[in-house]
């Protein structure tokens, strides 16, 4: 069965949002808290899991919600349905931090996409949201952000969010790319993904780049982000601590 194909437009530069146009009775599913605005005539319903056909029935819904809980996401998603029987209606979803929104045509990517746990934004209803554990021991023990991934399945349209600037790379068979673990946004399942030790005690302790990096080996496509949310959060926390220390020092001068 072919999933819904939705019309959309992405607005903005560094703080983007995507506006989706729904035909009568057409629906989209969004990450909890991602809705920006919606027009009159659209009904909003919060559900367990993702509402895909694979999660019908009580057991299927519980399994879908459990999978999302494992990836660190909310057990709930929100379905937006155009209940107007005559006209198209629009609903928009906004990213939570600076970056780019990427439309992913799953049917053109072999039906499956693996992405970081906080990357999914919204999709046509029918796209299945699951989990993709890494099989490698290195990725399992040291992957951090890359250990538990979201798996998007179907042949519909999904939208993911990348922090900062985004680049898409097509890896040839055997071609290898080493990346900071947090900078991997998504990749097709034919890409061989592993986590490796940086190597060298001095580099590991004083390099400032972390102890491990992701190794991506082709063939396949990968999407990378220049500013992962974890890096942005660490910089903000570090700056706030420095600011607090400066304020306390000024009090006792």
């Amino acid at each position: 069965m072919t999933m819904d194909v939705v019309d959309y437009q992405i607005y903005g530069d560094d703080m983007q949002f995507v506006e989706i146009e729904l035909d009568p009775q057409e629906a989209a599913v969004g990450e909890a808290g991602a809705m920006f605005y919606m027009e009159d005539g659209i009904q909003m319903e919060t559900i367990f899991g993702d509402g895909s056909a694979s999660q019908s029935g009580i057991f299927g819904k519980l399994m879908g919600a459990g999978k999302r809980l494992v990836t660190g996401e909310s057990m709930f998603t929100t379905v937006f349905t155009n209940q107007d029987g005559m006209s198209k209606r629009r609903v928009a979803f906004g990213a939570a931090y600076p970056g780019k929104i990427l439309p992913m045509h799953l049917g053109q990517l072999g039906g499956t996409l693996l992405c970081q746990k906080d990357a999914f934004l919204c999709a046509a209803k029918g796209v299945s949201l699951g989990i993709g554990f890494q099989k490698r021991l290195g990725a399992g023990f040291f992957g951090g952000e890359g250990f538990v991934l979201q798996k998007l399945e179907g042949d519909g349209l999904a939208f993911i969010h990348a922090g900062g600037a985004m680049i898409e790379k097509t890896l040839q068979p055997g071609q290898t790319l080493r990346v900071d673990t947090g900078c991997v946004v998504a990749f097709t399942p034919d890409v061989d993904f592993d986590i490796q030790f940086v190597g060298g005690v001095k580099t590991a302790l004083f390099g400032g780049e972390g102890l491990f990096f992701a190794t991506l080996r082709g063939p396949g496509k990968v999407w990378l982000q220049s500013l992962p949310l974890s890096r942005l959060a660490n910089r903000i926390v570090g700056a706030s601590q420095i600011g607090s220390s400066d304020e306390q020092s000024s009090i006792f001068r």
Side-chain angles (χ1 to χ4, degrees):
M1 179 175 124
T2 302
M3 303 298 178
D4 290 339
V5 177
V6 296
D7 297 322
Y8 69 93
Q9 186 167 350
I10 295 174
Y11 295 89
D13 185 13
D14 295 326
M15 291 294 292
Q16 294 187 329
F17 69 92
V18 56
E19 183 185 76
I20 296 177
E21 186 178 75
L22 299 176
D23 294 326
Q25 302 308 313
E26 191 174 30
V29 58
E31 189 61 82
M35 194 274 289
F36 179 19
Y37 62 81
M38 60 181 178
E39 293 182 343
D40 187 36
I42 291 181
Q43 178 181 335
M44 182 174 64
E45 180 185 7
T46 300
I47 61 172
F48 270 117
D50 55 35
S52 63
S54 62
Q55 294 182 7
S56 59
I58 298 298
F59 182 75
K61 292 178 180 178
L62 289 174
M63 285 293 292
K67 289 179 180 179
R68 289 178 52 76
L69 188 62
V70 169
T71 62
E73 304 293 340
S74 168
M75 291 189 297
F76 300 91
T77 54
T78 306
V79 176
F80 300 83
T81 305
N82 180 7
Q83 298 287 9
D84 190 310
M86 301 293 295
S87 305
K88 296 182 178 182
R89 290 290 184 264
R90 296 173 180 83
V91 58
F93 301 90
Y97 55 97
K100 302 295 181 184
I101 295 175
L102 315 176
M104 297 292 185
H105 297 269
L106 297 181
Q108 300 175 9
L109 298 172
T112 302
L113 183 71
L114 295 168
C115 60
Q116 289 280 18
K117 60 184 182 181
D118 59 350
F120 173 74
L121 185 64
C122 59
K125 187 179 179 184
V127 170
S128 174
L129 310 178
I131 56 176
F133 287 107
Q134 293 308 310
K135 299 177 182 179
R136 297 290 187 87
L137 286 177
F141 286 112
F142 307 116
E145 294 157 289
F147 173 37
V148 181
L149 300 168
Q150 285 189 330
K151 181 192 293 184
L152 308 182
E153 294 181 291
D155 56 7
L157 185 63
F159 297 88
I160 63 175
H161 178 250
M166 184 279 301
I167 185 170
E168 174 186 331
K169 286 185 173 291
T170 300
L171 301 180
Q172 301 303 316
Q175 183 180 358
T176 300
L177 193 65
R178 296 176 178 177
V179 187
D180 179 274
T181 55
C183 292
V184 179
V185 180
F187 54 92
T188 52
D190 48 351
V191 171
D192 183 36
F193 176 86
D194 195 11
I195 302 292
Q196 295 184 349
F197 182 62
V198 170
V201 175
K202 184 168 65 174
T203 301
L205 294 178
F206 306 112
E209 301 299 332
L211 298 178
F212 304 94
F213 54 73
T215 300
L216 303 162
R217 183 173 293 105
K221 287 189 174 184
V222 301
W223 290 264
L224 309 176
Q225 59 186 355
S226 65
L227 185 61
L229 178 59
S230 59
R231 183 181 297 175
L232 177 62
N234 289 337
R235 294 296 176 88
I236 292 175
V237 170
S240 64
Q241 291 175 345
I242 293 174
S244 299
S245 299
D246 291 342
E247 290 177 2
Q248 292 175 1
S249 298
S250 64
I251 293 175
F252 296 101
R253 285 175 186 171

